[in-house]
Amino acid sequence: MQAPLYRRSPAEFPIANTLPSPILVIGPERDIIYANPAAEQFFDTGAAILLKQNLSDLLLFDSPLFQLVEQARERNASAAERDVDLSTPRHGERIADVTVTPLGEPEGTLVIAFAERGLAQRMDRQLLARGAVRSMHGMAAVLAHEIKNPLAGIRGAAQLLEEQLPSADRAMTQLICDEADRIRGLIDRMEAFGDTRSFQRHPVNIHEVLSRVRRIAESGFAGGATFVETFDPSLPPVAGDRDQLIQVFLNLVRNAVDALPESGGEVTLTTSYRPGVRFGVGTSGERISLPLEVTVRDNGSGVPSDLLPCIFDPFVTTKRRGSGLGLALVAKIVGDHGGVIECDSIPRRTIFRALLPIAAREEDL
Ligand SMILES: Nc1ncnc2c1ncn2[C@@H]1O[C@H](COP(=O)(O)OP(=O)(O)OP(=O)(O)O)[C@@H](O)[C@H]1O
Ligand SMILES: [Mg+2]
């Protein structure tokens, strides 16, 4: 007779123990019979406890992972899916690629391998976005100079013309003025990229920033959207510039609202403290700590998957009147703050996650 599965010791899976990706082995009743050290970390639970648990203790009851498990079992072959939502209230927002493979022996057992979007991958995207933003600096300055002056002339001439036109024709001159204003607005926004001055950092209460953004949204563009706030009240202040941070979260909330369905739209703002998050970035390669996590989540249409890799690039837009500069500016400002921004998106769950440095000591500011 076989030994009870839950008594299997990690020594029986020596290779899995060394792998950096989280791996679980589950039995016929989805009871967890093995978890490698990466899985302990991933689920923030020690192996001793994990081995007493069932897969359903780790996931929400409607998690797509259950379907994947059933699929692998029925076909007796591997089943894989990208971007599986593994979020729970306890573990927060998480999306990972998952592969479920029947083990064959002992019967009914399955291996579940998780590949969470690596921080390195997120950083790459972010650093690429910074490069693209930098290349805009020169262009913005030239455009501003070459376009703004003649544009003011065109607008002025249209206004003069307007006075001499019968009122039926004034719609045309109005159109010229409106479009001139729109182009001017676009160039003003592009000029923000050329602004390389260093700014004064102060301790900023991010909750105050988010409440402000929410108020602006609710009194303007938010329509019927519902806002949900999940704040960690003990969060220390961010080292940064309040106005610029308002701009960041206003752009993110605006995009979230734009993507929402007609009814039932929800925008969730969350803050949390993650002291363990460190990155090997910075010019000297030093590791920096970005423990403040602020997320803007919406249950809207989701970012088209082909757009996702370049979403922080300038001029990427799917909107008729969008400039595609909103997220590029977000990436620039977050980068100027020494932080990181990334996006995970599937339909009905799009998350923008900003990791920011803490305003710890006076001398850091
Ligand atoms: N929360 C979201 N849900 C779905 N798609 C999004 C979301 N946020 C951004 N996007 C997509 O990313 C594109 C780029 O966003 P970005 O804010 O840079 O520009 P924009 O909103 O199109 O124009 P604007 O310059 O006016 O902000 C959007 O056009 C949209 O397709
Ligand atoms: Mg936008």
mmCIF file of all heavy atoms in Angstrom, residues 189 255-256 258-259 298 301-304 307 311 316-319 321-328 350 352, ligand 1:
data_model
loop_
_atom_site.group_PDB
_atom_site.id
_atom_site.type_symbol
_atom_site.label_atom_id
_atom_site.label_comp_id
_atom_site.label_asym_id
_atom_site.label_seq_id
_atom_site.Cartn_x
_atom_site.Cartn_y
_atom_site.Cartn_z
ATOM 1 N N ARG A 189 1.444 69.556 -23.155
ATOM 2 C CA ARG A 189 1.658 68.297 -22.451
ATOM 3 C C ARG A 189 2.986 67.677 -22.853
ATOM 4 O O ARG A 189 3.692 67.088 -22.043
ATOM 5 C CB ARG A 189 0.519 67.330 -22.744
ATOM 6 C CG ARG A 189 -0.777 67.795 -22.136
ATOM 7 C CD ARG A 189 -1.894 66.860 -22.440
ATOM 8 N NE ARG A 189 -1.732 65.589 -21.755
ATOM 9 C CZ ARG A 189 -2.549 64.554 -21.926
ATOM 10 N NH1 ARG A 189 -3.543 64.658 -22.757
ATOM 11 N NH2 ARG A 189 -2.360 63.444 -21.266
ATOM 12 N N ASN A 255 -7.960 56.984 -17.315
ATOM 13 C CA ASN A 255 -7.933 55.839 -18.234
ATOM 14 C C ASN A 255 -8.867 54.738 -17.754
ATOM 15 O O ASN A 255 -9.558 54.109 -18.551
ATOM 16 C CB ASN A 255 -6.520 55.261 -18.331
ATOM 17 C CG ASN A 255 -5.618 56.083 -19.226
ATOM 18 O OD1 ASN A 255 -6.094 56.932 -19.975
ATOM 19 N ND2 ASN A 255 -4.328 55.836 -19.133
ATOM 20 N N ALA A 256 -8.839 54.503 -16.436
ATOM 21 C CA ALA A 256 -9.687 53.445 -15.872
ATOM 22 C C ALA A 256 -11.152 53.759 -16.172
ATOM 23 O O ALA A 256 -11.894 52.906 -16.656
ATOM 24 C CB ALA A 256 -9.449 53.331 -14.367
ATOM 25 N N ASP A 258 -12.351 55.677 -18.506
ATOM 26 C CA ASP A 258 -12.600 55.578 -19.953
ATOM 27 C C ASP A 258 -12.894 54.146 -20.377
ATOM 28 O O ASP A 258 -13.606 53.921 -21.358
ATOM 29 C CB ASP A 258 -11.375 56.070 -20.745
ATOM 30 C CG ASP A 258 -11.267 57.587 -20.738
ATOM 31 O OD1 ASP A 258 -12.234 58.238 -20.305
ATOM 32 O OD2 ASP A 258 -10.214 58.115 -21.162
ATOM 33 N N ALA A 259 -12.292 53.171 -19.658
ATOM 34 C CA ALA A 259 -12.421 51.768 -20.079
ATOM 35 C C ALA A 259 -13.648 51.078 -19.475
ATOM 36 O O ALA A 259 -13.953 49.946 -19.838
ATOM 37 C CB ALA A 259 -11.159 51.000 -19.679
ATOM 38 N N ASP A 298 -9.394 48.552 -12.409
ATOM 39 C CA ASP A 298 -10.750 48.766 -12.925
ATOM 40 C C ASP A 298 -11.293 47.474 -13.506
ATOM 41 O O ASP A 298 -10.540 46.558 -13.814
ATOM 42 C CB ASP A 298 -10.760 49.893 -13.966
ATOM 43 C CG ASP A 298 -10.036 49.523 -15.236
ATOM 44 O OD1 ASP A 298 -10.589 48.747 -16.025
ATOM 45 O OD2 ASP A 298 -8.897 49.996 -15.439
ATOM 46 N N SER A 301 -12.795 47.168 -19.933
ATOM 47 C CA SER A 301 -12.557 46.312 -21.091
ATOM 48 C C SER A 301 -11.194 45.636 -21.091
ATOM 49 O O SER A 301 -10.993 44.612 -21.722
ATOM 50 C CB SER A 301 -12.679 47.170 -22.352
ATOM 51 O OG SER A 301 -11.824 48.297 -22.206
ATOM 52 N N GLY A 302 -10.229 46.194 -20.396
ATOM 53 C CA GLY A 302 -8.872 45.631 -20.410
ATOM 54 C C GLY A 302 -8.051 46.251 -21.518
ATOM 55 O O GLY A 302 -8.590 46.750 -22.511
ATOM 56 N N VAL A 303 -6.726 46.205 -21.363
ATOM 57 C CA VAL A 303 -5.829 46.747 -22.381
ATOM 58 C C VAL A 303 -5.687 45.678 -23.470
ATOM 59 O O VAL A 303 -5.427 44.524 -23.152
ATOM 60 C CB VAL A 303 -4.430 47.031 -21.780
ATOM 61 C CG1 VAL A 303 -3.488 47.589 -22.837
ATOM 62 C CG2 VAL A 303 -4.542 47.991 -20.600
ATOM 63 N N PRO A 304 -5.866 46.044 -24.750
ATOM 64 C CA PRO A 304 -5.667 45.046 -25.806
ATOM 65 C C PRO A 304 -4.277 44.408 -25.662
ATOM 66 O O PRO A 304 -3.300 45.122 -25.421
ATOM 67 C CB PRO A 304 -5.753 45.879 -27.092
ATOM 68 C CG PRO A 304 -6.478 47.129 -26.703
ATOM 69 C CD PRO A 304 -6.190 47.369 -25.259
ATOM 70 N N LEU A 307 -1.214 45.728 -27.239
ATOM 71 C CA LEU A 307 -0.804 47.073 -26.804
ATOM 72 C C LEU A 307 0.026 47.018 -25.521
ATOM 73 O O LEU A 307 0.834 47.910 -25.244
ATOM 74 C CB LEU A 307 -2.072 47.889 -26.529
ATOM 75 C CG LEU A 307 -2.059 49.365 -26.846
ATOM 76 C CD1 LEU A 307 -1.962 49.529 -28.347
ATOM 77 C CD2 LEU A 307 -3.356 50.014 -26.350
ATOM 78 N N ILE A 311 2.569 49.989 -23.751
ATOM 79 C CA ILE A 311 1.517 50.887 -23.260
ATOM 80 C C ILE A 311 2.067 52.192 -22.670
ATOM 81 O O ILE A 311 1.409 53.218 -22.681
ATOM 82 C CB ILE A 311 0.623 50.135 -22.250
ATOM 83 C CG1 ILE A 311 -0.636 50.936 -21.994
ATOM 84 C CG2 ILE A 311 1.331 49.829 -20.960
ATOM 85 C CD1 ILE A 311 -1.758 50.118 -21.469
ATOM 86 N N VAL A 316 0.898 56.056 -28.006
ATOM 87 C CA VAL A 316 0.144 54.804 -28.131
ATOM 88 C C VAL A 316 -1.255 55.065 -27.608
ATOM 89 O O VAL A 316 -1.439 55.384 -26.442
ATOM 90 C CB VAL A 316 0.814 53.675 -27.302
ATOM 91 C CG1 VAL A 316 -0.085 52.449 -27.242
ATOM 92 C CG2 VAL A 316 2.168 53.336 -27.908
ATOM 93 N N THR A 317 -2.239 54.977 -28.485
ATOM 94 C CA THR A 317 -3.616 55.250 -28.053
ATOM 95 C C THR A 317 -4.604 54.461 -28.886
ATOM 96 O O THR A 317 -4.328 54.128 -30.036
ATOM 97 C CB THR A 317 -3.943 56.757 -28.135
ATOM 98 O OG1 THR A 317 -5.279 56.963 -27.669
ATOM 99 C CG2 THR A 317 -3.841 57.307 -29.546
ATOM 100 N N THR A 318 -5.754 54.150 -28.293
ATOM 101 C CA THR A 318 -6.841 53.534 -29.058
ATOM 102 C C THR A 318 -8.040 54.471 -29.055
ATOM 103 O O THR A 318 -9.107 54.092 -29.506
ATOM 104 C CB THR A 318 -7.274 52.201 -28.412
ATOM 105 O OG1 THR A 318 -7.599 52.453 -27.041
ATOM 106 C CG2 THR A 318 -6.199 51.143 -28.498
ATOM 107 N N LYS A 319 -7.839 55.685 -28.535
ATOM 108 C CA LYS A 319 -8.991 56.589 -28.402
ATOM 109 C C LYS A 319 -9.001 57.605 -29.535
ATOM 110 O O LYS A 319 -7.936 58.099 -29.925
ATOM 111 C CB LYS A 319 -8.910 57.322 -27.053
ATOM 112 C CG LYS A 319 -8.968 56.348 -25.898
ATOM 113 C CD LYS A 319 -8.782 57.034 -24.568
ATOM 114 C CE LYS A 319 -8.523 55.999 -23.496
ATOM 115 N NZ LYS A 319 -8.065 56.581 -22.253
ATOM 116 N N ARG A 321 -9.889 60.677 -29.666
ATOM 117 C CA ARG A 321 -9.306 61.978 -29.343
ATOM 118 C C ARG A 321 -8.195 61.862 -28.304
ATOM 119 O O ARG A 321 -7.843 62.829 -27.641
ATOM 120 C CB ARG A 321 -10.401 62.940 -28.867
ATOM 121 C CG ARG A 321 -11.381 63.288 -29.979
ATOM 122 C CD ARG A 321 -12.335 64.374 -29.553
ATOM 123 N NE ARG A 321 -11.715 65.700 -29.501
ATOM 124 C CZ ARG A 321 -11.610 66.516 -30.562
ATOM 125 N NH1 ARG A 321 -12.056 66.135 -31.728
ATOM 126 N NH2 ARG A 321 -11.057 67.696 -30.425
ATOM 127 N N GLY A 322 -7.625 60.676 -28.174
ATOM 128 C CA GLY A 322 -6.540 60.489 -27.195
ATOM 129 C C GLY A 322 -5.213 60.928 -27.787
ATOM 130 O O GLY A 322 -5.017 60.860 -28.999
ATOM 131 N N SER A 323 -4.312 61.398 -26.946
ATOM 132 C CA SER A 323 -2.989 61.772 -27.446
ATOM 133 C C SER A 323 -1.982 60.645 -27.213
ATOM 134 O O SER A 323 -0.917 60.633 -27.791
ATOM 135 C CB SER A 323 -2.506 63.050 -26.750
ATOM 136 O OG SER A 323 -2.214 62.777 -25.396
ATOM 137 N N GLY A 324 -2.315 59.703 -26.356
ATOM 138 C CA GLY A 324 -1.362 58.628 -26.055
ATOM 139 C C GLY A 324 -0.195 59.115 -25.215
ATOM 140 O O GLY A 324 0.862 58.483 -25.172
ATOM 141 N N LEU A 325 -0.389 60.252 -24.552
ATOM 142 C CA LEU A 325 0.699 60.786 -23.723
ATOM 143 C C LEU A 325 0.460 60.570 -22.230
ATOM 144 O O LEU A 325 1.365 60.736 -21.419
ATOM 145 C CB LEU A 325 0.876 62.286 -23.988
ATOM 146 C CG LEU A 325 1.448 62.640 -25.350
ATOM 147 C CD1 LEU A 325 1.517 64.146 -25.541
ATOM 148 C CD2 LEU A 325 2.829 62.042 -25.527
ATOM 149 N N GLY A 326 -0.777 60.181 -21.888
ATOM 150 C CA GLY A 326 -1.115 60.054 -20.464
ATOM 151 C C GLY A 326 -0.190 59.098 -19.724
ATOM 152 O O GLY A 326 0.421 59.462 -18.716
ATOM 153 N N LEU A 327 -0.046 57.883 -20.245
ATOM 154 C CA LEU A 327 0.765 56.892 -19.541
ATOM 155 C C LEU A 327 2.260 57.163 -19.699
ATOM 156 O O LEU A 327 3.050 56.821 -18.822
ATOM 157 C CB LEU A 327 0.431 55.485 -20.044
ATOM 158 C CG LEU A 327 -0.921 54.950 -19.589
ATOM 159 C CD1 LEU A 327 -1.160 53.562 -20.179
ATOM 160 C CD2 LEU A 327 -1.000 54.894 -18.069
ATOM 161 N N ALA A 328 2.647 57.765 -20.821
ATOM 162 C CA ALA A 328 4.062 58.113 -20.981
ATOM 163 C C ALA A 328 4.453 59.124 -19.894
ATOM 164 O O ALA A 328 5.542 59.045 -19.307
ATOM 165 C CB ALA A 328 4.314 58.686 -22.366
ATOM 166 N N THR A 350 -8.015 45.245 -14.834
ATOM 167 C CA THR A 350 -6.790 45.914 -15.270
ATOM 168 C C THR A 350 -6.187 46.579 -14.046
ATOM 169 O O THR A 350 -6.884 47.278 -13.312
ATOM 170 C CB THR A 350 -7.102 46.966 -16.349
ATOM 171 O OG1 THR A 350 -7.633 46.293 -17.481
ATOM 172 C CG2 THR A 350 -5.857 47.742 -16.750
ATOM 173 N N PHE A 352 -2.963 48.885 -12.648
ATOM 174 C CA PHE A 352 -1.719 49.657 -12.755
ATOM 175 C C PHE A 352 -1.136 49.719 -11.351
ATOM 176 O O PHE A 352 -1.826 50.102 -10.406
ATOM 177 C CB PHE A 352 -1.988 51.054 -13.308
ATOM 178 C CG PHE A 352 -2.191 51.044 -14.792
ATOM 179 C CD1 PHE A 352 -3.447 50.802 -15.327
ATOM 180 C CD2 PHE A 352 -1.120 51.235 -15.650
ATOM 181 C CE1 PHE A 352 -3.644 50.755 -16.689
ATOM 182 C CE2 PHE A 352 -1.300 51.198 -17.023
ATOM 183 C CZ PHE A 352 -2.569 50.958 -17.547
HETATM 184 N N1 LIG B 1 -7.318 51.133 -17.553
HETATM 185 C C1 LIG B 1 -7.244 50.873 -18.866
HETATM 186 N N2 LIG B 1 -8.050 49.940 -19.429
HETATM 187 C C2 LIG B 1 -7.979 49.665 -20.757
HETATM 188 N N3 LIG B 1 -7.122 50.260 -21.613
HETATM 189 C C3 LIG B 1 -6.292 51.181 -21.109
HETATM 190 C C4 LIG B 1 -6.292 51.545 -19.715
HETATM 191 N N4 LIG B 1 -5.348 52.480 -19.519
HETATM 192 C C5 LIG B 1 -4.780 52.715 -20.718
HETATM 193 N N5 LIG B 1 -5.345 51.942 -21.674
HETATM 194 C C6 LIG B 1 -4.991 51.893 -23.104
HETATM 195 O O1 LIG B 1 -3.731 52.515 -23.243
HETATM 196 C C7 LIG B 1 -3.797 53.568 -24.208
HETATM 197 C C8 LIG B 1 -2.806 54.632 -23.836
HETATM 198 O O2 LIG B 1 -3.211 55.343 -22.664
HETATM 199 P P1 LIG B 1 -2.703 56.837 -22.450
HETATM 200 O O3 LIG B 1 -3.263 57.339 -21.168
HETATM 201 O O4 LIG B 1 -1.233 56.880 -22.607
HETATM 202 O O5 LIG B 1 -3.319 57.607 -23.671
HETATM 203 P P2 LIG B 1 -4.850 57.957 -23.958
HETATM 204 O O6 LIG B 1 -5.659 57.739 -22.720
HETATM 205 O O7 LIG B 1 -5.259 57.203 -25.171
HETATM 206 O O8 LIG B 1 -4.785 59.484 -24.318
HETATM 207 P P3 LIG B 1 -4.467 60.703 -23.303
HETATM 208 O O9 LIG B 1 -3.187 61.244 -23.774
HETATM 209 O O10 LIG B 1 -5.618 61.598 -23.465
HETATM 210 O O11 LIG B 1 -4.329 60.108 -21.921
HETATM 211 C C9 LIG B 1 -5.250 53.976 -24.200
HETATM 212 O O12 LIG B 1 -5.622 54.566 -25.428
HETATM 213 C C10 LIG B 1 -5.972 52.660 -23.968
HETATM 214 O O13 LIG B 1 -6.106 51.936 -25.161
#
